[in-house]
Structure formats: structure tokens, C-alpha cells
Amino acid sequence: MAEPAVHKDPFGHHRVTVTRIVPMTATVKSYTLALQDDATFRFKPGQYIQLYVPKGDQSVAKPYSIASPPDQEREIELCIKRVEGGYVSTYCDRLAGGESFEIRGPIGKFFLREPIDSDLVFLATGTGVAPFRSMLRGLFPIGPGDTSWAPYQFSTDPAGPLPVRQAGAGRRHAWLFFGVRHEDEILYESEFLSMAERYPTFHFIPTISRPGRWQGATGYVQDHVPKHVTDPSGKQVYVCGLMPMIEAARAALKGMGFQREQIHYEIYT
Ligand SMILES: Cc1cc2nc3c(=O)[nH]c(=O)nc-3n(C[C@H](O)[C@H](O)[C@H](O)COP(=O)(O)OP(=O)(O)OC[C@H]3O[C@@H](n4cnc5c(N)ncnc54)[C@H](O)[C@@H]3O)c2cc1C
């Protein structure tokens, strides 16, 4: 009799311990998960993990984008918004630190298309900025560990366009349009401001939909793209957030003349 086919899970499983929890806003916290085994965790910035939390005598898994800088291989950072009535996000919100979980990953195809030889436009709302924080820490190094970003294969053709990683001295530009409701909800704000200060080709455009005394951009994130990005040619766009924002961004980008193959999405369902 033929042996039944064995379907091996192509994704790695790891035990992790919560080593650090930092409130970022009233509803979002940053969680650092340290790997318990000796393995290193290599991922492409933009990918996500499945986090398993207990529910009765079972467990339930939810996907969360990896927010860590790409050369951080022993710890994984997540940023999770507590959703009203949501099981896993509320469970995480109640953690004190020291707890252990199983994760599965890295998973997903939402990473930068290689070789990275185009200008990059990022659109995010809320915790949808998490995958971009990871990508941007690799593209525009600001931390001491950021410079050893190895997993990425940039274009090595000396006659080709400069890798975006060298964009501070080069030709390629990246824009981050980041929409939140209130000005105290701009996640990783100081990091993005440092990048913008250090690299003239990185442009950070936070937009606030319910402004108080905010002097910067207001309204919806997609409405600001045409003011900064005038020509779609030679650009790749990455969009991450909840479905209504993805749909609005898709329509706006189409209206600007972006082709379908230039636009990449991660939808937080
Ligand atoms: C690829 C991927 C990556 C993701 N990465 C992140 C991340 O980095 N950070 C993060 O916070 N979330 C992320 N999410 C969303 C996350 O997986 C969960 O959906 C979210 O935490 C809610 O799970 P829950 O178990 O708490 O809620 P559930 O018990 O599943 O659902 C509660 C209800 O809330 C709704 N809901 C879900 N998310 C939101 C939201 N953000 N705002 C308002 N209503 C919502 C659901 O539609 C549902 O009706 C990601 C989703 C995907 C698909």
C-alpha cells in the first residue's frame, strides 16, 4: 500500500518569549519576542508571522507584520493594536512580559521587488506601517546594527542604478505617507524623522485625519500622494492597511496613472 503523502509545513515554527512591551499609543503596543531556540530568524522585510495564543484548550493564530529591522535575527518586534472585542489583540494587550508563545513564519510575499532599482512609495495607516518600518530601517540605516543588513540582494551591476540603500548619496527617492487619526498616534515617528533628517532622498509625510493643533498634512493618506509624487514612471508603490484604505488608495493611484504591476498590497483583514 502506498505511503500517505506527508505535507511538511514550509514555514518555521519557533518558541518565543515576550521580553519587552512598550505602549506606543493608547491602543498600540510594541512587543519584542526573543527566540528560545538557537535558530536565527531570517526574513524579508515586509513579511509577517502567525502568533499562536491559547484559547481554552486550543490555540488561535493571527498574522502580525514583522516590524523589526531586517538584521535583527534573534528577536522579533511586533506592533499590535488592541481591537475592541478582538480576541488575540486583547489577549496581547493584557500580557505582562515573560510569557511564551509559538510563532510560525516568516510568511508572505509583501516584500520589496528586487533588484530595487525604482523609487519607492509607501502608503500606510495605523499599524499598517509595521512592514514599512522594517523595510525602511534596512533602506535608510539609523541604528548601529542597521548597517549590516545582509539578507537583501541589491542590484550589484556597477553600471546599474544605485541601490536605494545608498539613496542618501544617490538618485533614488522613497516617500512614506502615513495616516493616523490623531497626532499622538504616529508610530515610530522619531525614527522616521531621523531618517528624513539624515537622508535627503527619504520623504516622510504623516497625515492626520482628526487634527487638533497639528500644522502638517491632514485628511486621508492617499490624497497627499499627487502633491509629492507627480510622475508614476520608475516607481513601485507598497500599500498596507485595512480594506477601506486599500480600496481608496487603489482608486487614487489608478487615477494618477499607476499600472497594476507597480502597486503591491498587504490587507489587514
Ligand atoms: C498579513 C497581516 C498582517 C497583519 N499585521 C498586523 C500588525 O502588524 N498589527 C496589527 O495590529 N494587526 C495586524 N493584522 C491584523 C491582525 O491579524 C488581527 O486581525 C487583529 O489583531 C484583530 O485580531 P483579533 O483576534 O484581536 O480580533 P478578532 O476577534 O478576529 O476580530 C474582531 C473584529 O475586529 C475587526 N478588526 C480587525 N482588525 C481591526 C483593526 N485594526 N481595526 C478595527 N477593526 C478591526 C475584525 O474585522 C473583527 O470584526 C494583520 C493582518 C494581516 C492579514
Side-chain angles (χ1 to χ4, degrees), residues 129-262:
V129 80
F132 301 146
R133 192 262 185 156
S134 180
M135 293 177 186
L136 287 164
R137 281 288 294 266
L139 295 168
F140 298 100
I142 50 163
D146 288 355
T147 45
S148 61
W149 195 32
Y152 252 95
Q153 300 299 314
F154 289 105
S155 167
T156 48
D157 176 6
L162 277 177
V164 178
R165 188 175 182 183
Q166 296 171 11
R171 308 184 285 267
R172 292 293 172 194
H173 288 252
W175 292 261
L176 171 63
F177 296 91
F178 181 23
V180 291
R181 284 189 186 164
H182 304 108
E183 56 196 90
D184 58 0
E185 294 174 341
I186 306 171
L187 308 172
Y188 308 108
E189 183 180 22
S190 61
E191 287 191 13
F192 297 139
L193 288 172
S194 299
M195 284 174 200
E197 201 174 296
R198 193 146 149 199
Y199 298 96
T201 47
F202 174 63
H203 312 282
F204 177 42
I205 303 101
T207 77
I208 306 297
S209 61
R210 296 185 192 170
R213 272 180 275 157
W214 175 250
Q215 300 288 312
T218 57
Y220 291 114
V221 71
Q222 63 277 357
D223 298 341
H224 292 277
V225 181
K227 297 175 198 160
H228 297 263
V229 180
T230 44
D231 181 5
S233 66
K235 296 183 176 66
Q236 294 286 315
V237 189
Y238 295 82
V239 189
C240 185
L242 294 172
M243 186 54 109
M245 173 269 195
I246 300 277
E247 281 174 347
R250 198 197 313 253
L253 293 164
K254 209 174 144 203
M256 286 179 65
F258 280 97
Q259 302 300 305
R260 192 189 293 194
E261 58 275 12
Q262 289 176 278

Side-chain angles (χ1 to χ4, degrees), residues 48 60 62-66 78-90 127-128 130-131 242 266-269:
Y48 66 89
V60 54
K62 280 283 155 73
Y64 292 102
S65 297
I66 302 161
L78 307 176
C79 75
I80 303 180
K81 178 188 163 79
R82 186 188 70 237
V83 171
E84 206 58 51
Y87 183 78
V88 176
S89 62
T90 305
T127 52
L242 294 172
E266 186 78 285
I267 306 170
Y268 281 6
T269 45

